[in-house]
């Protein structure tokens, strides 16, 4: 029993080990991630197998790496762990953590050999390929929607009023604008930070927080219809938000979310599913 418990503790603490490693700011774009996966598949054909489970709205592959070793049971018939990263699109740290997990499992050690002979890992480093490139674009822009086009302001046009790099620093950032109708106040302990005004305390807002940009379509609103379409992370049945263009017309509508659901429903041996994102779950 102790040996079995030790093995399971090792299995579940691997992500924690990764978080303890020295962080790297050298995040990889989508092409670099694909190249790394292909390289590992060539170097470790006995342990790593890549599966294309579908395509994003923009036509990019969604790859899952199956990491397993030789054992008494076929890899797809063993108890398995699924790790999916960056379905939100802008969480590149999650992608790097997933890649680091694959690299760790591919390491030649007695403990890895034993673990991978009994368990299988399915790891998807980029579940939202279209949005993953936002932070590598010029200017950099945090995106969470795929390459579908939606008309957020219902004016018959799509993506006609997006953010603009006003100060030309290569990044799309947030700006504060004085507005008596705003709902934000400077934090009393750190005035550079805005906090929500609390009407219950008699507070009134002094600013509104908006994304950097112009009123490109002249309708009096800023950046209300920018790039990025529907959001795969919000296109699942759990906590689905109805009547919002970003969530899709129904759960499972988007190719990214449907591909993930189909993959997991076809693998009943997956006992644990972990998401690497802004709120790991």
């Amino acid at each position: 029993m102790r040996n079995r418990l030790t093995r399971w503790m090792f299995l579940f603490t691997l992500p924690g080990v990764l978080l303890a490693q020295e962080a790297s700011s050298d995040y990889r774009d989508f092409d670099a991630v694909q190249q790394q996966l292909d390289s590992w598949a060539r170097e470790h054909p006995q342990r790593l197998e890549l599966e294309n489970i579908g395509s994003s709205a923009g036509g990019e592959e969604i790859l899952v790496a199956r990491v397993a070793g030789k054992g008494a049971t076929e890899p797809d018939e063993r108890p398995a762990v699924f790790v999916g990263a960056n379905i939100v699109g802008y969480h590149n740290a999650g992608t790097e953590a997933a890649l680091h997990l694959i690299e760790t499992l591919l390491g030649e050690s007695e403990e890895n050999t034993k673990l991978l002979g009994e368990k299988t890992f399915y790891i998807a480093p980029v579940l939202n390929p279209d949005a993953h490139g936002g932070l590598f674009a010029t200017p950099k822009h945090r995106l969470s929607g795929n390459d579908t086009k939606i008309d957020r302001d219902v004016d018959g046009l799509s993506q006609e009023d997006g953010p603009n790099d006003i100060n030309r620093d290569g990044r799309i950032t947030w700006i504060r604008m004085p507005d008596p109708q705003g709902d934000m106040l400077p934090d009393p302990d750190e005035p550079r930070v805005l906090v929500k005004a609390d009407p219950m305390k008699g507070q009134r807002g002094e600013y509104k927080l908006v994304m950097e940009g112009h009123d490109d379509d002249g309708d009096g609103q800023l950046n209300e219809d920018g790039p990025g379409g529907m959001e795969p992370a919000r296109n699942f049945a759990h906590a689905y938000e109805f009547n919002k263009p970003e969530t899709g017309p129904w759960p499972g509508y988007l190719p990214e979310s449907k591909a993930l659901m189909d993959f997991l429903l076809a693998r009943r041996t997956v006992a644990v599913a972990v998401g690497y994102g802004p709120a790991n779950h």
Side-chain angles (χ1 to χ4, degrees), residues 114-172:
K114 187 173 182 60
L115 175 67
L116 296 179
E118 299 173 349
K119 309 294 187 296
T120 296
F121 286 78
Y122 300 105
I123 304 170
V126 185
L127 286 170
N128 188 351
D130 297 347
H132 182 88
L135 295 180
F136 301 94
T138 302
K140 299 180 187 299
H141 186 199
R142 195 178 91 160
L143 297 174
S144 54
N146 62 16
D147 280 356
T148 54
K149 294 188 182 301
I150 55 178
D151 179 11
R152 292 181 176 86
D153 54 355
V154 197
D155 64 354
L157 302 173
S158 297
Q159 302 182 358
E160 81 282 359
D161 189 7
N164 311 96
D165 185 11
I166 297 174
N167 62 351
R168 301 182 181 179
D169 66 349
R171 295 177 296 170
I172 299 297

Side-chain angles (χ1 to χ4, degrees), residues 23 27 52 55-56 59 68 72-73 83 94 109 119 129 134 166 180 185-186 192 215 220 235 238 243 271 278:
Y27 295 152
N52 179 3
S55 299
S56 69
T73 308
V83 177
S109 69
K119 309 294 187 296
I166 297 174
L185 283 172
R192 294 176 298 176
D215 180 11
N235 188 235
H238 175 70
N243 301 318

Side-chain angles (χ1 to χ4, degrees), residues 5-34:
L5 179 61
T6 301
R7 292 200 296 272
W8 278 100
M9 286 176 65
F10 172 74
L11 188 155
F12 284 113
T13 55
L14 266 173
V17 172
L18 298 179
L19 293 176
Q21 300 290 332
E22 181 178 351
S24 171
S25 61
D26 296 327
Y27 295 152
R28 280 166 275 201
D29 64 16
F30 182 70
D31 288 342
V33 172
Q34 302 291 74

Side-chain angles (χ1 to χ4, degrees), residues 23 29 43 53 59 66 68 88 95 122 130 150 157 163-164 173 210 218 226 246 279-280:
D29 64 16
E43 295 171 6
I53 66 170
R66 188 191 74 181
V88 74
T95 293
Y122 300 105
D130 297 347
I150 55 178
L157 302 173
N164 311 96
T173 55
V210 299
E246 294 85 0
N280 293 338

Side-chain angles (χ1 to χ4, degrees), residues 96-118:
E96 294 301 322
L99 292 172
H100 200 162
L101 175 58
I102 295 172
E103 186 175 27
T104 300
L105 291 169
L106 292 176
E108 296 292 341
S109 69
E110 183 178 342
E111 195 164 26
N112 270 3
T113 299
K114 187 173 182 60
L115 175 67
L116 296 179
E118 299 173 349

